[in-house]
Amino acid sequence: MTTPTADRVTLVEVGPRDGFQGIAPFIPTATKIDFVRRLAAAGLDRIEAGSFVSPSAVPQLRDAAEMFAACRTIPELRPQFLVPNARWGTTALAAGVDFLAFVVSVSEAHNRNNVRRHPLESVAEYIRLIDACPEGVDMRLNLATAFDCPFAGRIDEREVIDLLGPLVAVRPTAEVCLCDTTGKASPDHVAGLFELARAAFPTVERWAFHAHDTYGLGLADVYAAWTRGVRIFDAAFAGLGGCPFAPGATGNVATEDVVFMFERMGVATGVDLDELLSIACDGTVIPGAAAGGRVRAALTGSRSPSCGS
Ligand code: ZN
């Protein structure tokens, strides 16, 4: 993995987890693996490829162990897997996963809905998980509803900082991602919260941002985070995604849109946009998928049947 700088950003492709999880018809594991292989070959060397989670809660992601086994064979790929609690975290560790993403919602209502716990119980789960992590396992901390919650509305910045305190303390080297779960965060809100969080936790070296494009603010928010020093961004090819536990939260920001914007700014992404567009076009025709984003249609509308206007 290349270290992100002002001239270079790291994109984390979350389509195979966040994008796929809300799609009802099961996507054959071989199809998922093929997408991961192609995305990695297009230059996306960080991919969230699944989640170790109850198969009854998220049936689409029940093949996490097979996905991990396949990811291991892809050179250069750094796969990460999402876990909702310590129990599933240890299952992932036992499978050999060495990059976990742990999710906790700032909003109590969302956390209860998502992982059936108070946020402080999730903090305790995280501490247990860190205790169970062998040396060399990397950790990403996803703070869902860091800006807005489908149940509680706008989230006070103070709540985010307060929840981050004990989480950062237990593993100061973890990557911290602030997630705009509903897509309602405005660019000034994104810039303001990252400014506050970076000042409050100067030891955190890796800040990431997870944008949704539900209200058309995705790219503006990504740019706002970038102006505040964030260099790691989640995105999903074809703009797939949304959270089944966040009503109305459709559409992660499309990876091809983010790549297009940064490359136009002279900021390298390491991603081959032509290759990515071809993968994104195939993503739009996955049965049950709802695609988003703009760049795909603009650049391929006239030459790809699956991306027609
Ligand atoms: Zn998302």
Side-chain angles (χ1 to χ4, degrees):
M1 271 187 298
T2 319
T3 309
T5 62
D7 298 331
R8 183 176 187 94
V9 291
T10 293
L11 302 187
V12 181
E13 171 57 54
V14 296
R17 197 279 301 171
D18 197 342
F20 289 173
Q21 74 174 15
I23 296 175
F26 185 72
I27 304 165
T29 306
T31 305
K32 291 178 183 171
I33 293 168
D34 189 51
F35 272 118
V36 168
R37 272 189 208 289
R38 293 171 67 197
L39 289 162
L44 289 152
D45 55 12
R46 277 192 60 184
I47 298 182
E48 192 161 278
S51 175
F52 285 81
V53 63
S54 159
S56 56
V58 192
Q60 181 63 259
L61 302 182
R62 62 181 183 258
D63 54 1
E66 289 156 272
M67 289 302 295
F68 174 68
C71 285
R72 277 185 133 152
T73 67
I74 302 171
E76 303 297 316
L77 176 62
R78 187 92 170 94
Q80 67 188 44
F81 284 78
L82 188 76
V83 295
N85 56 41
R87 185 170 79 81
W88 283 105
T90 48
T91 304
L93 290 169
V97 176
D98 63 359
F99 199 162
L100 294 176
F102 181 87
V103 61
V104 51
S105 305
V106 181
S107 149
E108 179 184 342
H110 189 265
N111 205 60
R112 286 196 184 282
N113 202 57
N114 201 17
V115 295
R116 319 269 167 227
R117 282 177 181 78
H118 188 280
L120 292 179
E121 293 176 87
S122 282
V123 171
E125 287 286 323
Y126 181 66
I127 293 169
R128 269 198 286 281
L129 178 59
I130 293 294
D131 282 346
C133 272
E135 189 100 358
V137 172
D138 204 354
M139 187 66 71
R140 138 80 78 110
L141 195 51
N142 280 336
L143 245 63
T145 63
F147 301 89
D148 183 80
C149 168
F151 311 111
R154 185 182 167 121
I155 299 296
D156 193 279
E157 282 88 338
R158 206 62 251 169
E159 277 188 62
V160 179
I161 302 301
D162 287 350
L163 186 65
L164 267 176
L167 290 165
V168 168
V170 68
R171 185 78 179 264
T173 56
E175 181 172 292
V176 179
C177 183
L178 303 183
C179 307
D180 179 20
T181 308
T182 64
K184 278 188 181 169
S186 51
D188 59 312
H189 188 176
V190 172
L193 182 56
F194 272 108
E195 223 166 77
L196 208 61
R198 294 194 70 199
F201 303 102
T203 57
V204 173
E205 286 181 0
R206 294 178 293 159
W207 289 96
F209 178 52
H210 181 105
H212 276 231
D213 201 28
T214 317
Y215 295 85
L217 297 173
L219 276 190
D221 287 344
V222 167
Y223 179 72
W226 184 80
T227 66
R228 294 306 186 272
V230 178
R231 299 290 178 257
I232 304 169
F233 298 93
D234 288 1
F237 72 104
L240 297 174
C243 174
F245 307 113
T250 52
N252 288 284
V253 69
T255 312
E256 56 272 24
D257 288 12
V258 176
V259 169
F260 183 81
M261 179 185 80
F262 277 126
E263 298 286 344
R264 296 286 290 183
M265 289 164 58
V267 176
T269 62
V271 178
D272 182 325
L273 184 57
D274 279 341
E275 284 300 316
L276 174 59
L277 286 169
S278 145
I279 304 163
C281 285
D282 293 341
T284 65
V285 294
I286 295 172
R294 301 293 288 270
V295 165
R296 189 182 62 257
L299 292 181
T300 70
S302 60
R303 59 183 161 92
S304 167
S306 59
C307 284
S309 57

